[in-house]
Amino acid sequence: MTARVIDGGAIAAGLREKVAATARRLAQDHGITPGLAVVLTGDNPASAVYVRNKATQTEAVGMRSVVHRLPATASAGELLDLIAALNADPTVHGILVQLPLPPQIDPHVVLAAIDPGKDVDGFHPLNAGRLATGLPGLVPCTPLGCVILAKTVLPSLAGLSAVVVGRSTIVGRPLVHLLLAENATVTIAHSKTRDLPAVCRGADLLCAAVGRPELMRGDWIKPGATVIDVGINRVAGEGGKHRIVGDVAYAEAAEVAGAITPVPGGVGPMTIACLMANTLRAAAARAGLPPPELSV
Ligand code: NAP
């Protein structure tokens, strides 16, 4: 079997188009331009690239982008003061604090200070709790993107055996709750799981969020399964260059799976598209409007 490739770039572009069209209507009908504020603390080069991409894509879908930069020496107090100002700013509908933060600042304190209605990353404990208890709220972007991608090839996840490898609060845990909400039968695996290959082989839907280059081999995949690879790992390539690979050995897995996301070009592009969608949702909710219809 050669797996169908789930083209995250194209699916993300479709979602961004929907967001842009809905944002235009929000402006025309209600005079609202959704605004996303991103806070970058310190000078981590990867974070700077992510923040730039987010700002560019925010403007490309017709929303307002504001980037606040704080030095690496900033105190927790300075960051909390900025968040308080953004919470109070009616032109800001979404607030994203780029992680990681410098070591002197506790990310949990900072994330809990964001107004949950503006928490477009979905990391506030209130939104995490709403997701875990099956209530509507803002949901973390990467797992949201994973479910959207899976549903492009599996319109119903009901009753499927889904295995999520990785239990981080950013990806694995929220993904479990999203899959449960889709009525999948969910197993969550992690570094202490016994016989991980056998657990993975039971999966109709295998989601890898581990951060270990090509950990999952072809013989870990159930024939015909759908594989969603969240991993982004930099490994040495030819000629002293680097290349990016996922947590799944793509070429081997593609021989066995029914459908698979590539790395790059799978989950990655969906994350920022889902951030745009969350900013729009936050703006609509703030205005007392129903949640925008954004299915792709
Ligand atoms: P993380 O916080 O480091 O969590 C990794 C998880 O994988 C942990 O639960 C860990 O288990 C588990 N794990 C580690 N080694 C394992 C092994 N050998 N076998 C089984 N489980 C193992 O990572 P994360 O933030 O969730 O990110 C995971 C990957 O996704 C990274 O490559 C990251 O770059 C990527 N990512 C991509 C996007 C995107 O937009 N595409 C967004 C976020 C993250 P324990 O809990 O037992 O330690």
Side-chain angles (χ1 to χ4, degrees):
M1 178 179 293
T2 303
R4 176 173 163 191
V5 179
I6 303 173
D7 184 347
I11 298 161
L15 178 56
R16 287 198 305 271
E17 267 171 38
K18 281 217 156 182
V19 169
T22 314
R24 272 196 300 278
R25 278 202 303 280
L26 202 60
Q28 276 161 16
D29 300 349
H30 302 280
I32 299 165
T33 301
L36 173 65
V38 177
V39 182
L40 175 61
T41 313
D43 34 39
N44 179 320
S47 292
V49 173
Y50 292 143
V51 167
R52 213 168 32 244
N53 286 344
K54 285 167 188 170
T56 309
Q57 290 203 26
T58 304
E59 283 167 3
V61 295
M63 305 199 298
R64 205 170 67 88
S65 160
V66 201
V67 177
H68 292 270
R69 291 185 173 79
L70 293 180
T73 52
S75 66
E78 285 171 74
L79 183 48
L80 291 171
D81 286 348
L82 174 56
I83 290 170
L86 296 173
N87 283 344
D89 184 340
T91 68
V92 171
H93 302 93
I95 302 170
L96 184 151
V97 174
Q98 185 67 44
L99 301 175
L101 291 171
Q104 72 276 15
I105 305 179
D106 181 347
H108 297 105
V109 172
V110 170
L111 295 176
I114 296 173
D115 175 343
K118 297 189 179 189
D119 169 39
V120 284
D121 247 346
F123 295 159
H124 189 288
L126 189 93
N127 283 320
R130 292 182 77 86
L131 178 61
T133 50
L135 292 171
L138 289 163
V139 168
C141 302
T142 300
L144 188 56
C146 292
V147 173
I148 295 172
L149 291 177
K151 289 183 78 174
T152 62
V153 291
L154 297 168
S156 170
L157 306 183
L160 292 185
S161 164
V163 173
V164 176
V165 189
R167 57 177 164 179
S168 72
T169 50
I170 291 173
V171 191
R173 283 170 204 251
L175 182 52
V176 164
H177 293 299
L178 288 173
L179 293 171
L180 277 177
E182 295 287 338
N183 295 314
T185 303
V186 189
T187 302
I188 184 157
H190 45 76
S191 68
K192 308 290 185 293
T193 297
R194 287 193 195 147
D195 200 355
L196 185 61
V199 173
C200 293
R201 269 193 293 274
D204 302 308
L205 172 62
L206 177 62
C207 302
V210 178
R212 299 275 179 277
E214 301 181 328
L215 173 75
M216 283 159 222
R217 313 306 308 185
D219 63 359
W220 295 30
I221 314 288
K222 179 177 180 175
T226 298
V227 178
I228 306 291
D229 189 352
V230 183
I232 301 177
N233 306 294
R234 238 165 84 99
V235 295
E238 282 170 24
K241 292 192 175 150
H242 286 91
R243 61 191 181 97
I244 302 292
V245 299
D247 292 338
V248 178
Y250 181 83
E252 288 177 23
E255 291 294 309
V256 188
I260 187 166
T261 57
V263 177
V267 176
M270 285 304 288
T271 297
I272 299 187
C274 288
L275 174 65
M276 305 294 101
N278 274 355
T279 305
L280 189 65
R281 288 186 182 102
R286 177 104 1 205
L289 299 168
E293 205 290 301
L294 295 171
S295 56
V296 287

PDB file of all heavy atoms in Angstrom, residues 67-94:
ATOM      1  N   VAL A  67       2.673  43.061  17.722  1.00  0.00           N
ATOM      2  CA  VAL A  67       3.725  42.271  18.365  1.00  0.00           C
ATOM      3  C   VAL A  67       4.381  43.140  19.442  1.00  0.00           C
ATOM      4  O   VAL A  67       4.767  44.280  19.181  1.00  0.00           O
ATOM      5  CB  VAL A  67       4.784  41.801  17.340  1.00  0.00           C
ATOM      6  CG1 VAL A  67       5.903  41.042  18.051  1.00  0.00           C
ATOM      7  CG2 VAL A  67       4.145  40.912  16.275  1.00  0.00           C
ATOM      8  N   HIS A  68       4.445  42.601  20.663  1.00  0.00           N
ATOM      9  CA  HIS A  68       5.117  43.294  21.771  1.00  0.00           C
ATOM     10  C   HIS A  68       6.397  42.535  22.086  1.00  0.00           C
ATOM     11  O   HIS A  68       6.351  41.314  22.275  1.00  0.00           O
ATOM     12  CB  HIS A  68       4.230  43.322  23.009  1.00  0.00           C
ATOM     13  CG  HIS A  68       3.011  44.182  22.830  1.00  0.00           C
ATOM     14  ND1 HIS A  68       2.983  45.515  23.142  1.00  0.00           N
ATOM     15  CD2 HIS A  68       1.787  43.880  22.330  1.00  0.00           C
ATOM     16  CE1 HIS A  68       1.789  46.006  22.852  1.00  0.00           C
ATOM     17  NE2 HIS A  68       1.047  45.036  22.357  1.00  0.00           N
ATOM     18  N   ARG A  69       7.500  43.256  22.140  1.00  0.00           N
ATOM     19  CA  ARG A  69       8.783  42.602  22.430  1.00  0.00           C
ATOM     20  C   ARG A  69       9.307  43.060  23.778  1.00  0.00           C
ATOM     21  O   ARG A  69       9.376  44.271  24.040  1.00  0.00           O
ATOM     22  CB  ARG A  69       9.807  42.949  21.342  1.00  0.00           C
ATOM     23  CG  ARG A  69       9.465  42.323  20.012  1.00  0.00           C
ATOM     24  CD  ARG A  69      10.538  42.566  18.961  1.00  0.00           C
ATOM     25  NE  ARG A  69      10.225  41.804  17.760  1.00  0.00           N
ATOM     26  CZ  ARG A  69       9.328  42.152  16.846  1.00  0.00           C
ATOM     27  NH1 ARG A  69       8.641  43.275  16.996  1.00  0.00           N
ATOM     28  NH2 ARG A  69       9.089  41.398  15.791  1.00  0.00           N
ATOM     29  N   LEU A  70       9.660  42.094  24.620  1.00  0.00           N
ATOM     30  CA  LEU A  70      10.281  42.405  25.911  1.00  0.00           C
ATOM     31  C   LEU A  70      11.684  41.803  25.915  1.00  0.00           C
ATOM     32  O   LEU A  70      11.916  40.765  25.293  1.00  0.00           O
ATOM     33  CB  LEU A  70       9.468  41.810  27.063  1.00  0.00           C
ATOM     34  CG  LEU A  70       8.068  42.382  27.311  1.00  0.00           C
ATOM     35  CD1 LEU A  70       7.411  41.675  28.488  1.00  0.00           C
ATOM     36  CD2 LEU A  70       8.135  43.880  27.594  1.00  0.00           C
ATOM     37  N   PRO A  71      12.622  42.451  26.628  1.00  0.00           N
ATOM     38  CA  PRO A  71      13.992  41.908  26.646  1.00  0.00           C
ATOM     39  C   PRO A  71      14.078  40.605  27.432  1.00  0.00           C
ATOM     40  O   PRO A  71      13.204  40.312  28.261  1.00  0.00           O
ATOM     41  CB  PRO A  71      14.793  43.009  27.351  1.00  0.00           C
ATOM     42  CG  PRO A  71      13.785  43.773  28.143  1.00  0.00           C
ATOM     43  CD  PRO A  71      12.480  43.680  27.414  1.00  0.00           C
ATOM     44  N   ALA A  72      15.144  39.848  27.193  1.00  0.00           N
ATOM     45  CA  ALA A  72      15.359  38.572  27.899  1.00  0.00           C
ATOM     46  C   ALA A  72      15.479  38.779  29.400  1.00  0.00           C
ATOM     47  O   ALA A  72      15.278  37.854  30.182  1.00  0.00           O
ATOM     48  CB  ALA A  72      16.616  37.896  27.356  1.00  0.00           C
ATOM     49  N   THR A  73      15.801  40.010  29.812  1.00  0.00           N
ATOM     50  CA  THR A  73      15.963  40.320  31.244  1.00  0.00           C
ATOM     51  C   THR A  73      14.644  40.758  31.889  1.00  0.00           C
ATOM     52  O   THR A  73      14.623  41.096  33.080  1.00  0.00           O
ATOM     53  CB  THR A  73      16.981  41.461  31.399  1.00  0.00           C
ATOM     54  OG1 THR A  73      16.549  42.540  30.539  1.00  0.00           O
ATOM     55  CG2 THR A  73      18.380  41.030  31.018  1.00  0.00           C
ATOM     56  N   ALA A  74      13.562  40.776  31.130  1.00  0.00           N
ATOM     57  CA  ALA A  74      12.283  41.273  31.670  1.00  0.00           C
ATOM     58  C   ALA A  74      11.877  40.463  32.896  1.00  0.00           C
ATOM     59  O   ALA A  74      12.135  39.259  32.977  1.00  0.00           O
ATOM     60  CB  ALA A  74      11.200  41.183  30.600  1.00  0.00           C
ATOM     61  N   SER A  75      11.216  41.138  33.826  1.00  0.00           N
ATOM     62  CA  SER A  75      10.748  40.441  35.034  1.00  0.00           C
ATOM     63  C   SER A  75       9.340  39.907  34.781  1.00  0.00           C
ATOM     64  O   SER A  75       8.642  40.352  33.848  1.00  0.00           O
ATOM     65  CB  SER A  75      10.720  41.401  36.213  1.00  0.00           C
ATOM     66  OG  SER A  75       9.742  42.398  35.975  1.00  0.00           O
ATOM     67  N   ALA A  76       8.921  38.974  35.649  1.00  0.00           N
ATOM     68  CA  ALA A  76       7.546  38.465  35.547  1.00  0.00           C
ATOM     69  C   ALA A  76       6.562  39.615  35.681  1.00  0.00           C
ATOM     70  O   ALA A  76       5.551  39.668  34.967  1.00  0.00           O
ATOM     71  CB  ALA A  76       7.315  37.422  36.642  1.00  0.00           C
ATOM     72  N   GLY A  77       6.887  40.573  36.562  1.00  0.00           N
ATOM     73  CA  GLY A  77       5.993  41.716  36.790  1.00  0.00           C
ATOM     74  C   GLY A  77       5.770  42.519  35.511  1.00  0.00           C
ATOM     75  O   GLY A  77       4.643  42.916  35.202  1.00  0.00           O
ATOM     76  N   GLU A  78       6.847  42.743  34.772  1.00  0.00           N
ATOM     77  CA  GLU A  78       6.713  43.517  33.520  1.00  0.00           C
ATOM     78  C   GLU A  78       5.801  42.791  32.535  1.00  0.00           C
ATOM     79  O   GLU A  78       4.951  43.399  31.874  1.00  0.00           O
ATOM     80  CB  GLU A  78       8.088  43.723  32.874  1.00  0.00           C
ATOM     81  CG  GLU A  78       8.956  44.759  33.553  1.00  0.00           C
ATOM     82  CD  GLU A  78      10.380  44.746  32.991  1.00  0.00           C
ATOM     83  OE1 GLU A  78      10.579  45.226  31.866  1.00  0.00           O
ATOM     84  OE2 GLU A  78      11.278  44.211  33.674  1.00  0.00           O
ATOM     85  N   LEU A  79       5.990  41.469  32.429  1.00  0.00           N
ATOM     86  CA  LEU A  79       5.173  40.702  31.495  1.00  0.00           C
ATOM     87  C   LEU A  79       3.708  40.687  31.962  1.00  0.00           C
ATOM     88  O   LEU A  79       2.778  40.847  31.154  1.00  0.00           O
ATOM     89  CB  LEU A  79       5.742  39.280  31.364  1.00  0.00           C
ATOM     90  CG  LEU A  79       5.078  38.331  30.394  1.00  0.00           C
ATOM     91  CD1 LEU A  79       4.837  38.963  29.026  1.00  0.00           C
ATOM     92  CD2 LEU A  79       5.918  37.067  30.223  1.00  0.00           C
ATOM     93  N   LEU A  80       3.511  40.543  33.264  1.00  0.00           N
ATOM     94  CA  LEU A  80       2.139  40.509  33.791  1.00  0.00           C
ATOM     95  C   LEU A  80       1.448  41.868  33.597  1.00  0.00           C
ATOM     96  O   LEU A  80       0.249  41.922  33.303  1.00  0.00           O
ATOM     97  CB  LEU A  80       2.143  40.102  35.270  1.00  0.00           C
ATOM     98  CG  LEU A  80       2.541  38.639  35.519  1.00  0.00           C
ATOM     99  CD1 LEU A  80       2.738  38.364  37.011  1.00  0.00           C
ATOM    100  CD2 LEU A  80       1.502  37.673  34.940  1.00  0.00           C
ATOM    101  N   ASP A  81       2.210  42.959  33.724  1.00  0.00           N
ATOM    102  CA  ASP A  81       1.625  44.298  33.483  1.00  0.00           C
ATOM    103  C   ASP A  81       1.179  44.423  32.035  1.00  0.00           C
ATOM    104  O   ASP A  81       0.112  44.969  31.747  1.00  0.00           O
ATOM    105  CB  ASP A  81       2.654  45.402  33.790  1.00  0.00           C
ATOM    106  CG  ASP A  81       2.866  45.592  35.286  1.00  0.00           C
ATOM    107  OD1 ASP A  81       2.060  45.037  36.071  1.00  0.00           O
ATOM    108  OD2 ASP A  81       3.840  46.275  35.655  1.00  0.00           O
ATOM    109  N   LEU A  82       2.013  43.914  31.125  1.00  0.00           N
ATOM    110  CA  LEU A  82       1.651  43.978  29.702  1.00  0.00           C
ATOM    111  C   LEU A  82       0.393  43.155  29.443  1.00  0.00           C
ATOM    112  O   LEU A  82      -0.521  43.581  28.731  1.00  0.00           O
ATOM    113  CB  LEU A  82       2.830  43.475  28.851  1.00  0.00           C
ATOM    114  CG  LEU A  82       2.573  43.352  27.354  1.00  0.00           C
ATOM    115  CD1 LEU A  82       2.105  44.672  26.736  1.00  0.00           C
ATOM    116  CD2 LEU A  82       3.833  42.861  26.626  1.00  0.00           C
ATOM    117  N   ILE A  83       0.328  41.950  30.028  1.00  0.00           N
ATOM    118  CA  ILE A  83      -0.851  41.104  29.826  1.00  0.00           C
ATOM    119  C   ILE A  83      -2.104  41.791  30.374  1.00  0.00           C
ATOM    120  O   ILE A  83      -3.164  41.772  29.728  1.00  0.00           O
ATOM    121  CB  ILE A  83      -0.635  39.712  30.456  1.00  0.00           C
ATOM    122  CG1 ILE A  83       0.410  38.967  29.627  1.00  0.00           C
ATOM    123  CG2 ILE A  83      -1.938  38.915  30.514  1.00  0.00           C
ATOM    124  CD1 ILE A  83       0.898  37.697  30.236  1.00  0.00           C
ATOM    125  N   ALA A  84      -1.970  42.440  31.522  1.00  0.00           N
ATOM    126  CA  ALA A  84      -3.135  43.145  32.095  1.00  0.00           C
ATOM    127  C   ALA A  84      -3.613  44.226  31.125  1.00  0.00           C
ATOM    128  O   ALA A  84      -4.828  44.403  30.933  1.00  0.00           O
ATOM    129  CB  ALA A  84      -2.758  43.748  33.450  1.00  0.00           C
ATOM    130  N   ALA A  85      -2.664  44.928  30.496  1.00  0.00           N
ATOM    131  CA  ALA A  85      -3.044  45.988  29.547  1.00  0.00           C
ATOM    132  C   ALA A  85      -3.734  45.380  28.320  1.00  0.00           C
ATOM    133  O   ALA A  85      -4.735  45.915  27.828  1.00  0.00           O
ATOM    134  CB  ALA A  85      -1.806  46.782  29.133  1.00  0.00           C
ATOM    135  N   LEU A  86      -3.228  44.244  27.851  1.00  0.00           N
ATOM    136  CA  LEU A  86      -3.830  43.594  26.675  1.00  0.00           C
ATOM    137  C   LEU A  86      -5.203  43.019  27.035  1.00  0.00           C
ATOM    138  O   LEU A  86      -6.134  43.058  26.214  1.00  0.00           O
ATOM    139  CB  LEU A  86      -2.903  42.497  26.141  1.00  0.00           C
ATOM    140  CG  LEU A  86      -1.552  42.984  25.595  1.00  0.00           C
ATOM    141  CD1 LEU A  86      -0.655  41.795  25.259  1.00  0.00           C
ATOM    142  CD2 LEU A  86      -1.745  43.872  24.374  1.00  0.00           C
ATOM    143  N   ASN A  87      -5.352  42.481  28.242  1.00  0.00           N
ATOM    144  CA  ASN A  87      -6.661  41.975  28.686  1.00  0.00           C
ATOM    145  C   ASN A  87      -7.709  43.096  28.628  1.00  0.00           C
ATOM    146  O   ASN A  87      -8.867  42.858  28.294  1.00  0.00           O
ATOM    147  CB  ASN A  87      -6.585  41.459  30.128  1.00  0.00           C
ATOM    148  CG  ASN A  87      -5.930  40.087  30.239  1.00  0.00           C
ATOM    149  OD1 ASN A  87      -5.800  39.384  29.251  1.00  0.00           O
ATOM    150  ND2 ASN A  87      -5.528  39.719  31.446  1.00  0.00           N
ATOM    151  N   ALA A  88      -7.261  44.326  28.969  1.00  0.00           N
ATOM    152  CA  ALA A  88      -8.205  45.453  29.065  1.00  0.00           C
ATOM    153  C   ALA A  88      -8.424  46.143  27.719  1.00  0.00           C
ATOM    154  O   ALA A  88      -9.307  46.991  27.605  1.00  0.00           O
ATOM    155  CB  ALA A  88      -7.675  46.457  30.089  1.00  0.00           C
ATOM    156  N   ASP A  89      -7.632  45.807  26.712  1.00  0.00           N
ATOM    157  CA  ASP A  89      -7.697  46.515  25.423  1.00  0.00           C
ATOM    158  C   ASP A  89      -8.816  45.922  24.547  1.00  0.00           C
ATOM    159  O   ASP A  89      -8.714  44.770  24.109  1.00  0.00           O
ATOM    160  CB  ASP A  89      -6.328  46.376  24.729  1.00  0.00           C
ATOM    161  CG  ASP A  89      -6.254  47.154  23.430  1.00  0.00           C
ATOM    162  OD1 ASP A  89      -7.316  47.492  22.864  1.00  0.00           O
ATOM    163  OD2 ASP A  89      -5.130  47.416  22.971  1.00  0.00           O
ATOM    164  N   PRO A  90      -9.861  46.698  24.264  1.00  0.00           N
ATOM    165  CA  PRO A  90     -10.985  46.135  23.491  1.00  0.00           C
ATOM    166  C   PRO A  90     -10.643  45.821  22.032  1.00  0.00           C
ATOM    167  O   PRO A  90     -11.393  45.094  21.374  1.00  0.00           O
ATOM    168  CB  PRO A  90     -12.062  47.228  23.580  1.00  0.00           C
ATOM    169  CG  PRO A  90     -11.333  48.484  23.920  1.00  0.00           C
ATOM    170  CD  PRO A  90     -10.098  48.092  24.662  1.00  0.00           C
ATOM    171  N   THR A  91      -9.528  46.344  21.513  1.00  0.00           N
ATOM    172  CA  THR A  91      -9.161  46.037  20.125  1.00  0.00           C
ATOM    173  C   THR A  91      -8.355  44.737  20.030  1.00  0.00           C
ATOM    174  O   THR A  91      -8.056  44.269  18.932  1.00  0.00           O
ATOM    175  CB  THR A  91      -8.322  47.180  19.491  1.00  0.00           C
ATOM    176  OG1 THR A  91      -7.055  47.229  20.147  1.00  0.00           O
ATOM    177  CG2 THR A  91      -9.035  48.513  19.592  1.00  0.00           C
ATOM    178  N   VAL A  92      -7.993  44.178  21.169  1.00  0.00           N
ATOM    179  CA  VAL A  92      -7.246  42.908  21.205  1.00  0.00           C
ATOM    180  C   VAL A  92      -8.210  41.787  21.572  1.00  0.00           C
ATOM    181  O   VAL A  92      -8.786  41.795  22.660  1.00  0.00           O
ATOM    182  CB  VAL A  92      -6.079  42.983  22.221  1.00  0.00           C
ATOM    183  CG1 VAL A  92      -5.448  41.609  22.435  1.00  0.00           C
ATOM    184  CG2 VAL A  92      -5.021  43.971  21.751  1.00  0.00           C
ATOM    185  N   HIS A  93      -8.388  40.821  20.647  1.00  0.00           N
ATOM    186  CA  HIS A  93      -9.309  39.701  20.905  1.00  0.00           C
ATOM    187  C   HIS A  93      -8.566  38.419  21.258  1.00  0.00           C
ATOM    188  O   HIS A  93      -9.141  37.512  21.838  1.00  0.00           O
ATOM    189  CB  HIS A  93     -10.199  39.473  19.673  1.00  0.00           C
ATOM    190  CG  HIS A  93     -10.975  40.697  19.308  1.00  0.00           C
ATOM    191  ND1 HIS A  93     -10.519  41.615  18.395  1.00  0.00           N
ATOM    192  CD2 HIS A  93     -12.150  41.169  19.771  1.00  0.00           C
ATOM    193  CE1 HIS A  93     -11.385  42.607  18.294  1.00  0.00           C
ATOM    194  NE2 HIS A  93     -12.384  42.366  19.117  1.00  0.00           N
ATOM    195  N   GLY A  94      -7.297  38.359  20.854  1.00  0.00           N
ATOM    196  CA  GLY A  94      -6.492  37.176  21.148  1.00  0.00           C
ATOM    197  C   GLY A  94      -5.130  37.596  21.684  1.00  0.00           C
ATOM    198  O   GLY A  94      -4.539  38.562  21.196  1.00  0.00           O
TER     199      GLY A  94
END
